[in-house]
Every structure is written in structure tokens, then in C-alpha cells.
Amino acid sequence: MIVRLKHTVALPLHRGSVLYCWVTALAVLAAGVATLCLGRLGIPLADLPSALLGGAEGKTAFVLERLRGPRLATAVLTGALLGLSGALFQGVTRNPLGSPDVIGLGAGAGAGVAVTSLHATGVPTPVGAVLGAAVAALLVHLCTGTGFRSPTRTIVAGIGVSAAAYALTQYVVSVRLRDAAAQLAAYLAGSLNAASARDVAVAGVALAVTLPLAMTLPVSMRLLEMGDETAAGLGVDPDRVRTAAIVLSVVAAGAAVAAAGPIAFVALTAPQIARRTIGSAQAGVLPAAFTGALIMVLADLAAQQVPAFDGLPVGVLTLGVGGCYLGHLLLDQHRKGRL
Amino acid sequence: MRAPAALAGALAGLAVVTAASLLFGGRVTPAADLLAVLTGAPDPYLEAVLESRFSRTVLGVLVGSALAVAGVLIQAVTRNPLGDPGLLGVTVGASAAVVTAAAVTGSGFGAGSVWIALPGALLTVLLVHVVGGRSRENGTVGLLLAGAVVSAVLSAYVQAMTLTRPGVFDSFRFWVIGALGGRDLSVAAAIAPALVIGLGLALVLSPSLNNLALGDDVATGLGTPVALVRATGILAAALLGAAATATAGPISFVGLAVPHLARALAGPDHRWQVPLAALLGGILLVAADVLGRVVARPGEVMVGIVTALLGAPFLLLAVRRGWATR
């Protein structure tokens, strides 16, 4: 065990993970090109390289800089943030169901955005989102009485916190005028329709801050899986690692919500998909981030190009598909007797 | 002996909140003027105010009772202290069915929607039961999670329907939060059959529910047809939940909290719990509605928001005390 430990400390990247990251990155690239090129307003594939290098004019420039470019960038960045957030949270709670969605980080961040946009207009909405997510996490932590150690308590407390956050959000929606409410409702469903350069900046900065920090954690988190005593014996402070992971997870989830609204279930599914495909518990933060980005880009591509989903916020798609996946996961955990 | 006293107290409480609901509202009207109108003085404006407050009071009592009794039934049948029509997907199932009907027919959310909400609610409850009710010993969390999952998928559907259809969104925006205002008594008439059947079944089942609380084996030994009681209880709960949801939109936590209150006041006997919960549910919902009208004058906070904000801490307390994860 100690030999492998030295190995992982020296090189925290597993070979399967590296391959997986390359494949998902290529898939994100392909889906990104499709996002920019498909459809009536799409940029012709032949024009894309020159347009990306700054030679865009007229309609092409408008599509690239205003319509689909920010949208694509926001999708990639928020997807990565959500994947990262989920990987950290699931790693610490040692349970796929102890994920940001289930404990109400998204709902809390949404409420934070709704409250800051109505009652505290001086506070920037990204700050409101992170604060909302933090309050949600804190409430769940306090109400379980055991921290995040008991998965079942965490989940049930999360349901309660989500419900309260949702009610607060609905209060804001209901007192707003109709147009503002419809806009806010679309936003609160998690939408990239109006993604702007500001959203790209928020998500980009958040990812640039959280990803490098998160990359330093997986080794210690893996040691935690052996139990707190063993980890402490190997020189890891369990509580500090747990707190660091949760704080990073909250910041990442909050920033994603600030940029794109509460996108459901990407944080839950991305780490699971990465982990199961790589077939190893060594799947760390990076594969989850790439998977999250891929899920978001694909969901957004579907929202733009599949007629049946025309005009739907991307969060509705991830909610529907991710909900089914959560059901599958639930049955699986049930069968294994982990619930 | 304390159960009859609790029942009498609840009746008095119901009278108090009814009076409060008639007297307090978004606009402050002097109680003396309202009393004068009640005794026959002609005043068209105050008569209209009274009429609308009367309708929402009656609907509040009916909806609150239905949700509370549905909660008692679900908690008894699943032996799950966190049973609540909302948490088990009744309300979102009813919402999905009603939204579908509204989108297809282009009409609003009228009195007839209870007969559309009902099959939606029943199907959802069945689904949640099948997905989450597998294991006997840890059924609590399984059912709750299944409810959360089914709710997530169905609310995605509901969101998709409302966000792509502005007309549906407009009427749905208020319906989805759970409100008592703006509905007249024809709605009460429409849901009456579902309420009567549901409450009747609950009363008939209550001795069997007492046996069920002793465990399946003991209940079977006492001659209780366990499977039949379960199925009928779930059916009655779905009927009540669907009727309530069709009337007022999704209202959470009344069905969760009231049964605990009723148990604390009346003891474990379901023959007392059911009627007491019916009264307490009515009181709680009307009180929440009055509170929502008073705190946000001259506007109002819809009752669904009030119950969620007051009820969520109750669920968190339940987790903290360990009821949820026993």
C-alpha cells in the first residue's frame, strides 16, 4: 500500500484517466464544432478556422461572438465546474448520492441569485450564488448532526434544504412582473440561451481558481477512503481535507449557477460516468471535469438542434436525463444494500 | 381522554382561524364594518371582499384536511415518519397531468382539473412505490429518494411544457406555487367527491392502521388483510393529495408535519388521529394563508411558499432527531 502511495503521490494521473481525458476532450471539441456549424445560422465548416483566428465578419462574427460562441464557452466551463464540484463532493462523502444536486447546492445558489437580483442589487449575482450554495451546504451540515458522514441523513436534509431554497426562489419569481418572471424562470431552469461574455468570465475565473486547487486534493481524498484513522496515520488531516474539498465544491457549483443557472444532475452524473468508464477509483477530478464539459456541450447542442427540444433551457434536458440516471443509481445502491 | 380534549381544542382553533381569515387580508378593513355586512348592512365592495375571503377559507380548510389525512395514511401505511404526499411525488404527478391537459386543450386550471390530476397522481405514486419500496428495513430513504427522482424527471417535463407555452406558463406560474386566492367555491364542489371518498376510506381504515403499526406479522395474526389495507390506504392518500393539488397547486409539508402533531396530541390511535389531523391540517393551512396575506401587505405571499418555508425546518429537525434515518 505504501509503495503505491509513493507512486500516486509522485504521479497522481492514472494511465486510464489520461486516455479518458484525451478522448473526452476530443469529443468536446467535435461537439463544439458541431455547435458552431450546424443549423440555419451555423458558420460554414470551411470558414471556421479563419473566423476563430479573428477573420470573422458580418453574420459570422455575430454568430461567433454573440450567439453561439459565449454559449459554447459557458457550456464547456460550467460543465467542467459542475464535474469538478461533483467529483470533490462525492469523493469526500464516499457516496455518489452525496452530490451537490442532492444536498441542494444548486437550489441554494439559485435562491442566492434570485434574492440578490431582487433585494440586494448591490451584491454581484456570482457572489450571491456562492453564498447561497454555502448556506445550503452549511444548513445540511448542521442539520444532519453528523456532518456529511451519514449519506442517508445528508440526502434527507438536502431534500429539506432544497425545498426551502426553492420556495424562496419561487417567492421572488411570484412577486416579479411577468416578463421578468418568465426570464428568471428560464434562468432558474438552467439556461444558456442568453449566455454572455460576463458568464464566460465568471465561469472561466472560477475554473482557473478551483481546478488547480482541486487537483491537489485527490490523493488525500483517496487516503480518506481507507478510514480517518489510517489517513491520519499517513499524515493527512481528515477534517481539513474534507473542509477544503467541500469549500471548493461549493465555490465551483456556485460559479456554475451564477453563469448558467442551476443545471441539474451534471455534478451527480459526470464523476460517475468517468469513474465507471475508467473502471478505477483512481478517476480523479480532471476526468470528471472533462465529462461534465462534454455533457453540457452535448445537452446544449441538443437544445439547439433537436426540433423537439427547440428553445428549451439546457437544464431541463439534464434534469430529465439525469433524473433517470439518478433512478438507476438508486436501484443499484439499493441492490448493493448501501442505502 | 386527551384525544377528545384535543379534538375540542382543534374545533375552537378552526373557528378562530376562520374568523381571522375573514377579517384579515391584504387590505385592512375594519372588523366592525365586516361584521355589519355580515349582519345585513348593504355594501357591495365589502360583500365582494368577504365572499372571496370566504371561498379561500373554505378551500383552505378542505385542502389542508386532505393533505394532512393523506400524510397520516402514507405515514401509517409505509411506516415512514417522513411520508408526505409532496415528497412521494403525488403533487408533481398531479401537476404533470394538469399541465399536459392545459397545454393540449389550451384552457386554464379549472374546477374539472381534479379528474385529470387524479390519474396522474395515482400513476406517480405507483411508480415511486415500485422504484423505491423494494427493501423492507430501509424503506424510508428508498421511498424518499424515489420520490425525489420521479419528481425531478416529472418537473423537467412540467418545466419543458410551461417554458415553451407562454399561455400555460402564465396561469401555471401562480398555480405551481400553491395558492388559495382566485378560486371560487365551484372548485370545492368539484373536488368534494374525491374528498368524501378519501376521508371515508381513511376513517374506515383507521382500526386496521392501528394493527399495521404493530408490524405485518402481528397485523396478519390479528386478521388484518395487510396488502389490501396498504393498497387502499395509498389509493385514498393519492385521491386526497390529488384533490388538494388540483385545487390549490402543490403545497408541501402540511402532510408531513400535521400527522406528527396529531400523534403528539391524540396518541397512537388512528381513530382519533385521522379526524384530529383533518382539523389541524385545515387550521394550519388557513393560518398560513392568513399569515401570507398579512406579512406582505398590500401584496400577499402565496400559501405554498409559507408552508414550505415553515415546513422545511420541520423536516430538518426530523433529520437532526434521527426520525428520518432510523
Side-chain angles (χ1 to χ4, degrees), chain B residues 22-23 31-42 46-47 50-51 54:
Chain B
L22 290 175
L23 292 178
D33 291 5
L34 285 173
L35 287 175
V37 173
L38 278 177
T39 50
L46 284 183
E47 273 168 23
L50 260 184
E51 196 176 302
F54 180 69

Side-chain angles (χ1 to χ4, degrees), chain A residues 19-49:
Chain A
L19 183 67
Y20 181 86
C21 288
W22 276 109
V23 172
T24 38
L26 285 177
V28 169
L29 199 65
V33 169
T35 301
L36 293 176
C37 295
L38 284 180
R40 205 163 46 82
L41 284 170
I43 302 163
L45 191 56
D47 297 351
L48 192 59

Side-chain angles (χ1 to χ4, degrees), chain B residues 216-231:
Chain B
D216 284 6
D217 295 340
V218 179
T220 311
L222 290 169
T224 305
V226 171
L228 181 70
V229 170
R230 278 229 162 82

Side-chain angles (χ1 to χ4, degrees), chain A residues 69-249:
Chain A
R71 194 169 169 159
L72 176 63
T74 310
V76 172
L77 293 171
T78 52
L81 281 171
L82 291 170
L84 172 109
S85 175
L88 291 175
F89 221 102
Q90 292 177 14
V92 165
T93 55
R94 278 175 247 161
N95 189 317
L97 293 168
S99 80
D101 297 300
V102 178
I103 77 149
L105 283 195
V113 168
V115 169
T116 45
S117 70
L118 182 72
H119 289 298
T121 38
V123 181
T125 46
V127 176
V130 172
L131 281 181
V135 169
L138 193 67
L139 271 178
V140 171
H141 185 86
L142 290 178
C143 292
T144 53
T146 55
F148 297 105
R149 248 159 274 157
S150 156
T152 45
R153 283 183 177 215
T154 306
I155 292 160
V156 180
I159 292 173
V161 169
S162 300
Y166 196 54
L168 198 62
T169 311
Q170 279 183 326
Y171 167 63
V172 174
V173 171
S174 70
V175 298
R176 281 252 158 157
L177 291 174
R178 195 200 149 216
D179 286 345
Q183 211 178 2
L184 199 57
Y187 166 78
L188 289 168
S191 173
L192 295 171
N193 289 355
S196 66
R198 184 186 147 274
D199 299 328
V200 177
V202 167
V205 168
L207 192 63
V209 172
T210 51
L211 190 60
L213 289 174
M215 298 274 290
T216 64
L217 281 176
V219 178
S220 329
M221 276 165 55
R222 225 168 291 138
L223 293 181
L224 279 192
E225 282 176 21
M226 296 184 233
D228 282 8
E229 288 82 12
T230 318
L234 291 167
V236 171
D237 180 349
D239 287 330
R240 192 186 290 171
V241 171
R242 224 174 262 130
T243 310
I246 286 167
V247 167
L248 281 178
S249 176

